[in-house]
């Protein structure tokens, strides 16, 4: 076999998981928002990378909430997982808050598709993912976590192979006003 045929390098298989609610607050904190299309382009612009899956998880006020945004995500190729927000009362503050915890759905999708990818990009700062990340790394999966300072749990940052701060890739993924 000659040298040109010996480097038929296999493409690295990539899956992206976006914790939508977590990222909403991270973007709000930073004062700018990212464009889901630009995110896909940024992480797949290498010809040696093949996007296998892209998942987006978000909580909804009702079944019609964010309908246009969800449809746009689907048209970009994201698989969108949703859950209706639940209202919680905080005895300490005396206030109600809403939450849709989709951590289990994210972890289930990560492990259900683990044989399909070599590398994961997780957009979240939630420390609850620490153990799942450790287990995925034990299966020789390369994990990159994308979040922002002040919103990334130390445990998650320590468990990952690579950490990217949203502000470091702002120029490549920020939503543009045309």
């Amino acid at each position: 076999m000659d040298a040109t045929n010996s480097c038929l390098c296999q493409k690295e298989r990539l899956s992206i998981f976006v914790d939508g609610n977590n990222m909403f607050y991270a973007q709000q904190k930073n004062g700018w928002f990212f464009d889901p299309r630009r995110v896909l382009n940024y992480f797949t612009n290498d010809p040696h990378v093949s996007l296998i899956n892209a998942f987006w998880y978000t909580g909804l006020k009702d079944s019609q909430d964010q309908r246009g945004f969800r449809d746009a995500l689907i048209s970009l190729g994201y698989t969108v997982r949703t859950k209706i927000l639940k209202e919680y009362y905080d005895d300490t503050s005396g206030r109600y808050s809403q939450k849709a915890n989709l951590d289990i759905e994210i972890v289930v999708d990560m492990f259900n598709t683990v044989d399909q990818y070599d590398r994961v990009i997780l957009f979240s700062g939630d420390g609850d993912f620490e153990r799942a990340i450790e287990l995925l790394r034990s299966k020789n999966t390369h994990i990159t976590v994308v979040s922002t300072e002040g919103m990334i749990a130390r445990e998650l940052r320590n468990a990952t192979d690579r950490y990217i701060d949203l502000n470091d890739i702002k120029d490549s993924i920020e939503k543009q006003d045309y």
Side-chain angles (χ1 to χ4, degrees), residues 34-42 44 56 72-73 75-76 78:
F34 61 74
D35 179 336
R37 178 190 315 269
R38 293 187 79 199
V39 165
L40 292 179
N41 292 342
Y42 178 78
T44 61
W56 193 289
L73 288 171
S75 72
L76 290 172
Y78 286 92

Side-chain angles (χ1 to χ4, degrees), residues 16-28:
I16 297 174
F17 299 86
V18 181
D19 181 344
N21 293 4
N22 186 281
M23 284 296 99
F24 175 79
Y25 293 113
Q27 293 171 92
Q28 202 172 43

